[in-house]
Amino acid sequence: MQFNVSQLLKEGAGALRQHTLHENIERLDPDITPLSTLDGTIQMIRTPTGVYVRGNLHCSAELVCARCLDPFSMPLHIPLDEEFQSIVDIATGATLPVEPDDELATQIDDRHTLDLTEVLRQDILLALPPFPICRTNCAGLCPACGKNQNIEKCNHPEEKIDPRLQVLEQLLKE
Ligand SMILES: [Zn+2]
Ligand SMILES: [Zn+2]
């Protein structure tokens, strides 16, 4: 996901480019299991010190339900909003001062390449829900037998039986 932005950098602040992304992200991160390409439109806007990138991207990914442990497909919406800094002046070729806390991921390198890969990897990871649920009413696994309650309802009570009732039950059996 690399873009040569030298032409854009030669223009004045406010100059704009639009790009359509259609990216294979299968090898982006071991924690991301994409089920589609990453798609959407981004805009690149020349700033006094670099390029501001914004856009709305989407893909679908396979997640594992935290309740029933079944894999399911989830559409992800990935907002992109990042400012990239040039490390070399496009006009003079001089090295530009880079803030020590500037992330490498948001630097435009000395060949004027803007690489979205790392920023998008982080944004997709942020878009993954920490507690994914396959459906709002997912019944989860039975705590007694472990059966997926979405597929098959077993008759195990969901709640633990009150110990006093257990004594009573025991008495009734005898
Ligand atoms: Zn589930
Ligand atoms: Zn059960």
mmCIF file of all heavy atoms in Angstrom, residues 116-167:
data_model
loop_
_atom_site.group_PDB
_atom_site.id
_atom_site.type_symbol
_atom_site.label_atom_id
_atom_site.label_comp_id
_atom_site.label_asym_id
_atom_site.label_seq_id
_atom_site.Cartn_x
_atom_site.Cartn_y
_atom_site.Cartn_z
ATOM 1 N N LEU A 116 1.050 3.247 3.583
ATOM 2 C CA LEU A 116 -0.112 3.185 4.476
ATOM 3 C C LEU A 116 -0.165 1.887 5.284
ATOM 4 O O LEU A 116 -0.992 1.759 6.189
ATOM 5 C CB LEU A 116 -1.403 3.277 3.651
ATOM 6 C CG LEU A 116 -1.846 4.642 3.139
ATOM 7 C CD1 LEU A 116 -3.102 4.466 2.303
ATOM 8 C CD2 LEU A 116 -2.115 5.584 4.301
ATOM 9 N N THR A 117 0.700 0.924 4.959
ATOM 10 C CA THR A 117 0.562 -0.432 5.514
ATOM 11 C C THR A 117 0.466 -0.462 7.038
ATOM 12 O O THR A 117 -0.470 -1.038 7.589
ATOM 13 C CB THR A 117 1.741 -1.312 5.049
ATOM 14 O OG1 THR A 117 1.894 -1.161 3.642
ATOM 15 C CG2 THR A 117 1.485 -2.769 5.369
ATOM 16 N N GLU A 118 1.442 0.160 7.709
ATOM 17 C CA GLU A 118 1.481 0.059 9.167
ATOM 18 C C GLU A 118 0.307 0.798 9.829
ATOM 19 O O GLU A 118 -0.299 0.308 10.775
ATOM 20 C CB GLU A 118 2.834 0.566 9.681
ATOM 21 C CG GLU A 118 2.998 0.573 11.183
ATOM 22 C CD GLU A 118 2.765 -0.783 11.863
ATOM 23 O OE1 GLU A 118 2.840 -1.830 11.203
ATOM 24 O OE2 GLU A 118 2.479 -0.774 13.079
ATOM 25 N N VAL A 119 -0.020 1.950 9.284
ATOM 26 C CA VAL A 119 -1.144 2.716 9.825
ATOM 27 C C VAL A 119 -2.457 1.921 9.675
ATOM 28 O O VAL A 119 -3.258 1.839 10.607
ATOM 29 C CB VAL A 119 -1.232 4.087 9.107
ATOM 30 C CG1 VAL A 119 -2.582 4.746 9.306
ATOM 31 C CG2 VAL A 119 -0.114 5.004 9.597
ATOM 32 N N LEU A 120 -2.640 1.318 8.507
ATOM 33 C CA LEU A 120 -3.864 0.543 8.290
ATOM 34 C C LEU A 120 -3.889 -0.704 9.165
ATOM 35 O O LEU A 120 -4.940 -1.080 9.678
ATOM 36 C CB LEU A 120 -3.998 0.154 6.810
ATOM 37 C CG LEU A 120 -4.507 1.292 5.926
ATOM 38 C CD1 LEU A 120 -4.474 0.891 4.470
ATOM 39 C CD2 LEU A 120 -5.923 1.703 6.320
ATOM 40 N N ARG A 121 -2.735 -1.330 9.357
ATOM 41 C CA ARG A 121 -2.667 -2.505 10.229
ATOM 42 C C ARG A 121 -3.148 -2.128 11.636
ATOM 43 O O ARG A 121 -3.992 -2.807 12.222
ATOM 44 C CB ARG A 121 -1.231 -3.040 10.281
ATOM 45 C CG ARG A 121 -1.084 -4.382 10.977
ATOM 46 C CD ARG A 121 0.373 -4.801 11.079
ATOM 47 N NE ARG A 121 1.097 -3.998 12.059
ATOM 48 C CZ ARG A 121 1.112 -4.252 13.365
ATOM 49 N NH1 ARG A 121 0.485 -5.296 13.840
ATOM 50 N NH2 ARG A 121 1.766 -3.455 14.197
ATOM 51 N N GLN A 122 -2.642 -1.014 12.140
ATOM 52 C CA GLN A 122 -3.042 -0.560 13.480
ATOM 53 C C GLN A 122 -4.521 -0.176 13.508
ATOM 54 O O GLN A 122 -5.229 -0.487 14.472
ATOM 55 C CB GLN A 122 -2.186 0.627 13.914
ATOM 56 C CG GLN A 122 -0.743 0.235 14.193
ATOM 57 C CD GLN A 122 0.128 1.437 14.594
ATOM 58 O OE1 GLN A 122 -0.367 2.491 14.947
ATOM 59 N NE2 GLN A 122 1.435 1.251 14.530
ATOM 60 N N ASP A 123 -5.000 0.485 12.461
ATOM 61 C CA ASP A 123 -6.408 0.903 12.428
ATOM 62 C C ASP A 123 -7.351 -0.296 12.346
ATOM 63 O O ASP A 123 -8.427 -0.276 12.950
ATOM 64 C CB ASP A 123 -6.663 1.849 11.243
ATOM 65 C CG ASP A 123 -6.119 3.248 11.503
ATOM 66 O OD1 ASP A 123 -5.773 3.547 12.670
ATOM 67 O OD2 ASP A 123 -6.033 4.041 10.553
ATOM 68 N N ILE A 124 -6.952 -1.330 11.618
ATOM 69 C CA ILE A 124 -7.816 -2.518 11.531
ATOM 70 C C ILE A 124 -7.848 -3.219 12.883
ATOM 71 O O ILE A 124 -8.903 -3.631 13.357
ATOM 72 C CB ILE A 124 -7.360 -3.477 10.412
ATOM 73 C CG1 ILE A 124 -7.518 -2.797 9.048
ATOM 74 C CG2 ILE A 124 -8.171 -4.774 10.442
ATOM 75 C CD1 ILE A 124 -6.912 -3.557 7.886
ATOM 76 N N LEU A 125 -6.687 -3.325 13.541
ATOM 77 C CA LEU A 125 -6.656 -3.956 14.864
ATOM 78 C C LEU A 125 -7.551 -3.185 15.838
ATOM 79 O O LEU A 125 -8.243 -3.778 16.666
ATOM 80 C CB LEU A 125 -5.218 -4.039 15.400
ATOM 81 C CG LEU A 125 -4.319 -5.069 14.711
ATOM 82 C CD1 LEU A 125 -2.883 -4.955 15.212
ATOM 83 C CD2 LEU A 125 -4.830 -6.499 14.945
ATOM 84 N N LEU A 126 -7.556 -1.848 15.707
ATOM 85 C CA LEU A 126 -8.419 -1.025 16.578
ATOM 86 C C LEU A 126 -9.897 -1.242 16.270
ATOM 87 O O LEU A 126 -10.748 -1.094 17.145
ATOM 88 C CB LEU A 126 -8.091 0.458 16.405
ATOM 89 C CG LEU A 126 -6.882 0.991 17.154
ATOM 90 C CD1 LEU A 126 -6.624 2.439 16.761
ATOM 91 C CD2 LEU A 126 -7.083 0.891 18.662
ATOM 92 N N ALA A 127 -10.193 -1.581 15.017
ATOM 93 C CA ALA A 127 -11.594 -1.772 14.619
ATOM 94 C C ALA A 127 -12.146 -3.124 15.065
ATOM 95 O O ALA A 127 -13.354 -3.339 15.048
ATOM 96 C CB ALA A 127 -11.723 -1.637 13.103
ATOM 97 N N LEU A 128 -11.245 -4.034 15.472
ATOM 98 C CA LEU A 128 -11.713 -5.354 15.921
ATOM 99 C C LEU A 128 -12.311 -5.214 17.314
ATOM 100 O O LEU A 128 -11.674 -4.652 18.203
ATOM 101 C CB LEU A 128 -10.549 -6.355 15.960
ATOM 102 C CG LEU A 128 -9.868 -6.700 14.640
ATOM 103 C CD1 LEU A 128 -8.654 -7.576 14.902
ATOM 104 C CD2 LEU A 128 -10.829 -7.401 13.695
ATOM 105 N N PRO A 129 -13.521 -5.709 17.537
ATOM 106 C CA PRO A 129 -14.111 -5.580 18.870
ATOM 107 C C PRO A 129 -13.368 -6.459 19.881
ATOM 108 O O PRO A 129 -12.975 -7.576 19.561
ATOM 109 C CB PRO A 129 -15.550 -6.055 18.665
ATOM 110 C CG PRO A 129 -15.505 -6.906 17.453
ATOM 111 C CD PRO A 129 -14.394 -6.395 16.593
ATOM 112 N N PRO A 130 -13.149 -5.985 21.120
ATOM 113 C CA PRO A 130 -12.430 -6.777 22.111
ATOM 114 C C PRO A 130 -13.241 -7.993 22.572
ATOM 115 O O PRO A 130 -12.678 -8.967 23.069
ATOM 116 C CB PRO A 130 -12.205 -5.800 23.268
ATOM 117 C CG PRO A 130 -13.210 -4.720 23.076
ATOM 118 C CD PRO A 130 -13.508 -4.643 21.602
ATOM 119 N N PHE A 131 -14.564 -7.916 22.441
ATOM 120 C CA PHE A 131 -15.432 -8.997 22.910
ATOM 121 C C PHE A 131 -16.436 -9.282 21.796
ATOM 122 O O PHE A 131 -17.584 -8.866 21.859
ATOM 123 C CB PHE A 131 -16.125 -8.538 24.208
ATOM 124 C CG PHE A 131 -16.815 -9.625 24.957
ATOM 125 C CD1 PHE A 131 -16.083 -10.563 25.678
ATOM 126 C CD2 PHE A 131 -18.206 -9.702 24.973
ATOM 127 C CE1 PHE A 131 -16.729 -11.576 26.387
ATOM 128 C CE2 PHE A 131 -18.853 -10.707 25.675
ATOM 129 C CZ PHE A 131 -18.112 -11.643 26.395
ATOM 130 N N PRO A 132 -15.963 -9.980 20.732
ATOM 131 C CA PRO A 132 -16.852 -10.174 19.583
ATOM 132 C C PRO A 132 -17.981 -11.165 19.874
ATOM 133 O O PRO A 132 -17.752 -12.206 20.491
ATOM 134 C CB PRO A 132 -15.914 -10.736 18.499
ATOM 135 C CG PRO A 132 -14.747 -11.279 19.229
ATOM 136 C CD PRO A 132 -14.655 -10.595 20.556
ATOM 137 N N ILE A 133 -19.180 -10.802 19.471
ATOM 138 C CA ILE A 133 -20.353 -11.653 19.676
ATOM 139 C C ILE A 133 -20.970 -11.905 18.300
ATOM 140 O O ILE A 133 -21.186 -10.961 17.540
ATOM 141 C CB ILE A 133 -21.385 -10.944 20.601
ATOM 142 C CG1 ILE A 133 -20.760 -10.629 21.969
ATOM 143 C CG2 ILE A 133 -22.644 -11.787 20.777
ATOM 144 C CD1 ILE A 133 -20.377 -11.808 22.804
ATOM 145 N N CYS A 134 -21.239 -13.187 17.983
ATOM 146 C CA CYS A 134 -21.697 -13.545 16.641
ATOM 147 C C CYS A 134 -23.071 -12.979 16.311
ATOM 148 O O CYS A 134 -23.380 -12.726 15.155
ATOM 149 C CB CYS A 134 -21.684 -15.056 16.465
ATOM 150 S SG CYS A 134 -22.873 -15.928 17.511
ATOM 151 N N ARG A 135 -23.914 -12.810 17.313
ATOM 152 C CA ARG A 135 -25.239 -12.203 17.129
ATOM 153 C C ARG A 135 -25.656 -11.657 18.487
ATOM 154 O O ARG A 135 -25.195 -12.154 19.518
ATOM 155 C CB ARG A 135 -26.243 -13.230 16.614
ATOM 156 C CG ARG A 135 -26.470 -14.393 17.575
ATOM 157 C CD ARG A 135 -27.152 -15.573 16.929
ATOM 158 N NE ARG A 135 -26.156 -16.532 16.473
ATOM 159 C CZ ARG A 135 -26.452 -17.724 15.957
ATOM 160 N NH1 ARG A 135 -27.694 -18.078 15.811
ATOM 161 N NH2 ARG A 135 -25.498 -18.551 15.584
ATOM 162 N N THR A 136 -26.516 -10.648 18.473
ATOM 163 C CA THR A 136 -26.831 -9.974 19.743
ATOM 164 C C THR A 136 -27.432 -10.940 20.757
ATOM 165 O O THR A 136 -27.214 -10.802 21.947
ATOM 166 C CB THR A 136 -27.801 -8.791 19.523
ATOM 167 O OG1 THR A 136 -28.816 -9.198 18.630
ATOM 168 C CG2 THR A 136 -27.070 -7.575 18.998
ATOM 169 N N ASN A 137 -28.186 -11.924 20.270
ATOM 170 C CA ASN A 137 -28.825 -12.841 21.220
ATOM 171 C C ASN A 137 -28.114 -14.197 21.266
ATOM 172 O O ASN A 137 -28.740 -15.218 21.531
ATOM 173 C CB ASN A 137 -30.311 -13.007 20.884
ATOM 174 C CG ASN A 137 -30.498 -13.562 19.483
ATOM 175 O OD1 ASN A 137 -29.547 -13.574 18.687
ATOM 176 N ND2 ASN A 137 -31.685 -14.027 19.171
ATOM 177 N N CYS A 138 -26.812 -14.197 21.002
ATOM 178 C CA CYS A 138 -26.070 -15.465 21.040
ATOM 179 C C CYS A 138 -26.272 -16.123 22.397
ATOM 180 O O CYS A 138 -26.043 -15.518 23.444
ATOM 181 C CB CYS A 138 -24.575 -15.224 20.802
ATOM 182 S SG CYS A 138 -23.586 -16.706 21.105
ATOM 183 N N ALA A 139 -26.708 -17.377 22.389
ATOM 184 C CA ALA A 139 -27.022 -18.072 23.635
ATOM 185 C C ALA A 139 -25.777 -18.668 24.286
ATOM 186 O O ALA A 139 -25.827 -19.109 25.434
ATOM 187 C CB ALA A 139 -28.056 -19.156 23.363
ATOM 188 N N GLY A 140 -24.671 -18.704 23.572
ATOM 189 C CA GLY A 140 -23.430 -19.199 24.172
ATOM 190 C C GLY A 140 -23.402 -20.701 24.373
ATOM 191 O O GLY A 140 -24.222 -21.439 23.816
ATOM 192 N N LEU A 141 -22.447 -21.135 25.168
ATOM 193 C CA LEU A 141 -22.294 -22.558 25.426
ATOM 194 C C LEU A 141 -22.981 -22.913 26.738
ATOM 195 O O LEU A 141 -23.002 -22.115 27.673
ATOM 196 C CB LEU A 141 -20.808 -22.921 25.534
ATOM 197 C CG LEU A 141 -19.916 -22.616 24.322
ATOM 198 C CD1 LEU A 141 -18.469 -22.963 24.644
ATOM 199 C CD2 LEU A 141 -20.385 -23.377 23.101
ATOM 200 N N CYS A 142 -23.519 -24.110 26.801
ATOM 201 C CA CYS A 142 -24.122 -24.572 28.051
ATOM 202 C C CYS A 142 -23.005 -24.775 29.076
ATOM 203 O O CYS A 142 -22.030 -25.478 28.805
ATOM 204 C CB CYS A 142 -24.872 -25.873 27.816
ATOM 205 S SG CYS A 142 -25.377 -26.673 29.350
ATOM 206 N N PRO A 143 -23.126 -24.168 30.264
ATOM 207 C CA PRO A 143 -22.059 -24.319 31.257
ATOM 208 C C PRO A 143 -21.956 -25.754 31.783
ATOM 209 O O PRO A 143 -20.918 -26.156 32.314
ATOM 210 C CB PRO A 143 -22.456 -23.346 32.375
ATOM 211 C CG PRO A 143 -23.879 -23.016 32.151
ATOM 212 C CD PRO A 143 -24.193 -23.275 30.700
ATOM 213 N N ALA A 144 -23.012 -26.542 31.610
ATOM 214 C CA ALA A 144 -22.989 -27.909 32.122
ATOM 215 C C ALA A 144 -22.380 -28.894 31.119
ATOM 216 O O ALA A 144 -21.500 -29.671 31.460
ATOM 217 C CB ALA A 144 -24.401 -28.352 32.492
ATOM 218 N N CYS A 145 -22.826 -28.837 29.857
ATOM 219 C CA CYS A 145 -22.354 -29.836 28.895
ATOM 220 C C CYS A 145 -21.520 -29.247 27.759
ATOM 221 O O CYS A 145 -20.942 -29.988 26.968
ATOM 222 C CB CYS A 145 -23.545 -30.609 28.324
ATOM 223 S SG CYS A 145 -24.555 -29.631 27.206
ATOM 224 N N GLY A 146 -21.471 -27.916 27.653
ATOM 225 C CA GLY A 146 -20.619 -27.294 26.638
ATOM 226 C C GLY A 146 -21.222 -27.235 25.256
ATOM 227 O O GLY A 146 -20.552 -26.847 24.309
ATOM 228 N N LYS A 147 -22.482 -27.633 25.106
ATOM 229 C CA LYS A 147 -23.126 -27.586 23.784
ATOM 230 C C LYS A 147 -23.415 -26.151 23.378
ATOM 231 O O LYS A 147 -23.764 -25.322 24.207
ATOM 232 C CB LYS A 147 -24.445 -28.368 23.821
ATOM 233 C CG LYS A 147 -24.289 -29.799 23.335
ATOM 234 C CD LYS A 147 -25.640 -30.423 23.029
ATOM 235 C CE LYS A 147 -25.470 -31.897 22.745
ATOM 236 N NZ LYS A 147 -26.298 -32.740 23.621
ATOM 237 N N ASN A 148 -23.269 -25.882 22.090
ATOM 238 C CA ASN A 148 -23.598 -24.566 21.555
ATOM 239 C C ASN A 148 -25.121 -24.411 21.577
ATOM 240 O O ASN A 148 -25.839 -25.081 20.833
ATOM 241 C CB ASN A 148 -23.056 -24.456 20.131
ATOM 242 C CG ASN A 148 -23.267 -23.068 19.551
ATOM 243 O OD1 ASN A 148 -24.131 -22.313 19.993
ATOM 244 N ND2 ASN A 148 -22.464 -22.744 18.559
ATOM 245 N N GLN A 149 -25.606 -23.517 22.427
ATOM 246 C CA GLN A 149 -27.049 -23.356 22.631
ATOM 247 C C GLN A 149 -27.752 -22.703 21.443
ATOM 248 O O GLN A 149 -28.976 -22.701 21.385
ATOM 249 C CB GLN A 149 -27.296 -22.518 23.898
ATOM 250 C CG GLN A 149 -26.704 -23.119 25.158
ATOM 251 C CD GLN A 149 -27.414 -24.386 25.582
ATOM 252 O OE1 GLN A 149 -28.519 -24.340 26.106
ATOM 253 N NE2 GLN A 149 -26.804 -25.526 25.320
ATOM 254 N N ASN A 150 -26.969 -22.153 20.504
ATOM 255 C CA ASN A 150 -27.585 -21.607 19.291
ATOM 256 C C ASN A 150 -28.025 -22.728 18.360
ATOM 257 O O ASN A 150 -28.948 -22.562 17.575
ATOM 258 C CB ASN A 150 -26.590 -20.720 18.533
ATOM 259 C CG ASN A 150 -26.149 -19.533 19.351
ATOM 260 O OD1 ASN A 150 -26.950 -18.866 19.991
ATOM 261 N ND2 ASN A 150 -24.848 -19.283 19.348
ATOM 262 N N ILE A 151 -27.324 -23.862 18.429
ATOM 263 C CA ILE A 151 -27.595 -24.976 17.525
ATOM 264 C C ILE A 151 -28.585 -25.938 18.164
ATOM 265 O O ILE A 151 -29.533 -26.390 17.550
ATOM 266 C CB ILE A 151 -26.274 -25.700 17.159
ATOM 267 C CG1 ILE A 151 -25.332 -24.732 16.433
ATOM 268 C CG2 ILE A 151 -26.556 -26.936 16.308
ATOM 269 C CD1 ILE A 151 -23.901 -25.213 16.356
ATOM 270 N N GLU A 152 -28.354 -26.235 19.410
ATOM 271 C CA GLU A 152 -29.166 -27.245 20.084
ATOM 272 C C GLU A 152 -29.405 -26.838 21.534
ATOM 273 O O GLU A 152 -28.462 -26.603 22.276
ATOM 274 C CB GLU A 152 -28.408 -28.579 20.057
ATOM 275 C CG GLU A 152 -29.273 -29.768 20.346
ATOM 276 C CD GLU A 152 -28.453 -31.063 20.368
ATOM 277 O OE1 GLU A 152 -27.337 -31.071 19.810
ATOM 278 O OE2 GLU A 152 -28.929 -32.031 20.967
ATOM 279 N N LYS A 153 -30.656 -26.738 21.888
ATOM 280 C CA LYS A 153 -30.994 -26.416 23.277
ATOM 281 C C LYS A 153 -30.962 -27.711 24.083
ATOM 282 O O LYS A 153 -31.666 -28.663 23.784
ATOM 283 C CB LYS A 153 -32.414 -25.817 23.355
ATOM 284 C CG LYS A 153 -32.444 -24.337 23.058
ATOM 285 C CD LYS A 153 -32.363 -23.517 24.341
ATOM 286 C CE LYS A 153 -32.287 -22.021 24.022
ATOM 287 N NZ LYS A 153 -31.133 -21.378 24.616
ATOM 288 N N CYS A 154 -30.098 -27.758 25.079
ATOM 289 C CA CYS A 154 -30.151 -28.917 25.963
ATOM 290 C C CYS A 154 -30.972 -28.508 27.182
ATOM 291 O O CYS A 154 -31.313 -27.345 27.334
ATOM 292 C CB CYS A 154 -28.759 -29.367 26.346
ATOM 293 S SG CYS A 154 -27.803 -28.063 27.097
ATOM 294 N N ASN A 155 -31.289 -29.427 28.038
ATOM 295 C CA ASN A 155 -32.176 -29.096 29.149
ATOM 296 C C ASN A 155 -31.437 -28.816 30.449
ATOM 297 O O ASN A 155 -32.019 -28.828 31.510
ATOM 298 C CB ASN A 155 -33.207 -30.213 29.351
ATOM 299 C CG ASN A 155 -34.185 -30.232 28.188
ATOM 300 O OD1 ASN A 155 -34.596 -29.177 27.711
ATOM 301 N ND2 ASN A 155 -34.507 -31.414 27.694
ATOM 302 N N HIS A 156 -30.149 -28.578 30.317
ATOM 303 C CA HIS A 156 -29.406 -28.230 31.529
ATOM 304 C C HIS A 156 -29.800 -26.838 31.990
ATOM 305 O O HIS A 156 -29.871 -25.930 31.183
ATOM 306 C CB HIS A 156 -27.900 -28.284 31.271
ATOM 307 C CG HIS A 156 -27.426 -29.664 30.980
ATOM 308 N ND1 HIS A 156 -26.853 -30.007 29.779
ATOM 309 C CD2 HIS A 156 -27.461 -30.778 31.728
ATOM 310 C CE1 HIS A 156 -26.552 -31.302 29.812
ATOM 311 N NE2 HIS A 156 -26.902 -31.785 30.976
ATOM 312 N N PRO A 157 -30.074 -26.690 33.284
ATOM 313 C CA PRO A 157 -30.427 -25.351 33.760
ATOM 314 C C PRO A 157 -29.236 -24.404 33.604
ATOM 315 O O PRO A 157 -28.099 -24.813 33.785
ATOM 316 C CB PRO A 157 -30.773 -25.565 35.234
ATOM 317 C CG PRO A 157 -30.151 -26.855 35.611
ATOM 318 C CD PRO A 157 -30.011 -27.677 34.359
ATOM 319 N N GLU A 158 -29.535 -23.161 33.267
ATOM 320 C CA GLU A 158 -28.455 -22.207 33.056
ATOM 321 C C GLU A 158 -27.827 -21.775 34.375
ATOM 322 O O GLU A 158 -26.626 -21.618 34.491
ATOM 323 C CB GLU A 158 -28.974 -20.979 32.308
ATOM 324 C CG GLU A 158 -28.828 -21.140 30.810
ATOM 325 C CD GLU A 158 -29.299 -19.927 30.060
ATOM 326 O OE1 GLU A 158 -29.066 -18.800 30.543
ATOM 327 O OE2 GLU A 158 -29.918 -20.112 28.993
ATOM 328 N N GLU A 159 -28.698 -21.602 35.350
ATOM 329 C CA GLU A 159 -28.230 -21.143 36.658
ATOM 330 C C GLU A 159 -27.832 -22.366 37.499
ATOM 331 O O GLU A 159 -28.404 -23.447 37.361
ATOM 332 C CB GLU A 159 -29.378 -20.416 37.352
ATOM 333 C CG GLU A 159 -29.056 -19.026 37.834
ATOM 334 C CD GLU A 159 -28.966 -17.986 36.709
ATOM 335 O OE1 GLU A 159 -29.712 -18.075 35.713
ATOM 336 O OE2 GLU A 159 -28.144 -17.110 36.884
ATOM 337 N N LYS A 160 -26.849 -22.177 38.356
ATOM 338 C CA LYS A 160 -26.501 -23.256 39.307
ATOM 339 C C LYS A 160 -27.650 -23.392 40.298
ATOM 340 O O LYS A 160 -28.229 -22.406 40.741
ATOM 341 C CB LYS A 160 -25.214 -22.879 40.058
ATOM 342 C CG LYS A 160 -23.946 -23.356 39.356
ATOM 343 C CD LYS A 160 -22.941 -23.859 40.386
ATOM 344 C CE LYS A 160 -21.800 -24.575 39.684
ATOM 345 N NZ LYS A 160 -20.602 -23.748 39.614
ATOM 346 N N ILE A 161 -27.958 -24.620 40.650
ATOM 347 C CA ILE A 161 -29.060 -24.850 41.594
ATOM 348 C C ILE A 161 -28.634 -24.389 42.993
ATOM 349 O O ILE A 161 -27.507 -24.604 43.419
ATOM 350 C CB ILE A 161 -29.438 -26.352 41.619
ATOM 351 C CG1 ILE A 161 -29.824 -26.811 40.200
ATOM 352 C CG2 ILE A 161 -30.582 -26.619 42.579
ATOM 353 C CD1 ILE A 161 -29.938 -28.306 40.070
ATOM 354 N N ASP A 162 -29.551 -23.712 43.639
ATOM 355 C CA ASP A 162 -29.325 -23.278 45.017
ATOM 356 C C ASP A 162 -28.966 -24.506 45.867
ATOM 357 O O ASP A 162 -29.664 -25.516 45.817
ATOM 358 C CB ASP A 162 -30.633 -22.636 45.520
ATOM 359 C CG ASP A 162 -30.453 -21.969 46.861
ATOM 360 O OD1 ASP A 162 -29.957 -22.654 47.785
ATOM 361 O OD2 ASP A 162 -30.799 -20.784 46.989
ATOM 362 N N PRO A 163 -27.889 -24.444 46.642
ATOM 363 C CA PRO A 163 -27.486 -25.630 47.431
ATOM 364 C C PRO A 163 -28.592 -26.134 48.359
ATOM 365 O O PRO A 163 -28.705 -27.339 48.595
ATOM 366 C CB PRO A 163 -26.269 -25.145 48.224
ATOM 367 C CG PRO A 163 -26.171 -23.676 48.020
ATOM 368 C CD PRO A 163 -26.943 -23.335 46.799
ATOM 369 N N ARG A 164 -29.442 -25.209 48.842
ATOM 370 C CA ARG A 164 -30.531 -25.648 49.738
ATOM 371 C C ARG A 164 -31.523 -26.504 48.960
ATOM 372 O O ARG A 164 -32.033 -27.493 49.457
ATOM 373 C CB ARG A 164 -31.246 -24.434 50.350
ATOM 374 C CG ARG A 164 -30.448 -23.785 51.474
ATOM 375 C CD ARG A 164 -30.978 -22.406 51.768
ATOM 376 N NE ARG A 164 -30.890 -21.561 50.589
ATOM 377 C CZ ARG A 164 -31.297 -20.308 50.535
ATOM 378 N NH1 ARG A 164 -31.868 -19.744 51.592
ATOM 379 N NH2 ARG A 164 -31.166 -19.601 49.444
ATOM 380 N N LEU A 165 -31.763 -26.091 47.691
ATOM 381 C CA LEU A 165 -32.670 -26.875 46.861
ATOM 382 C C LEU A 165 -32.054 -28.232 46.513
ATOM 383 O O LEU A 165 -32.760 -29.225 46.382
ATOM 384 C CB LEU A 165 -33.005 -26.114 45.568
ATOM 385 C CG LEU A 165 -33.939 -24.921 45.710
ATOM 386 C CD1 LEU A 165 -34.097 -24.207 44.385
ATOM 387 C CD2 LEU A 165 -35.312 -25.357 46.223
ATOM 388 N N GLN A 166 -30.720 -28.211 46.361
ATOM 389 C CA GLN A 166 -30.023 -29.459 46.034
ATOM 390 C C GLN A 166 -30.247 -30.496 47.133
ATOM 391 O O GLN A 166 -30.470 -31.665 46.870
ATOM 392 C CB GLN A 166 -28.526 -29.193 45.871
ATOM 393 C CG GLN A 166 -28.074 -29.392 44.445
ATOM 394 C CD GLN A 166 -26.644 -28.978 44.229
ATOM 395 O OE1 GLN A 166 -26.044 -28.294 45.068
ATOM 396 N NE2 GLN A 166 -26.099 -29.367 43.109
ATOM 397 N N VAL A 167 -30.209 -30.027 48.416
ATOM 398 C CA VAL A 167 -30.451 -30.899 49.567
ATOM 399 C C VAL A 167 -31.863 -31.475 49.480
ATOM 400 O O VAL A 167 -32.094 -32.666 49.653
ATOM 401 C CB VAL A 167 -30.256 -30.116 50.906
ATOM 402 C CG1 VAL A 167 -30.669 -30.952 52.087
ATOM 403 C CG2 VAL A 167 -28.798 -29.678 51.035
#
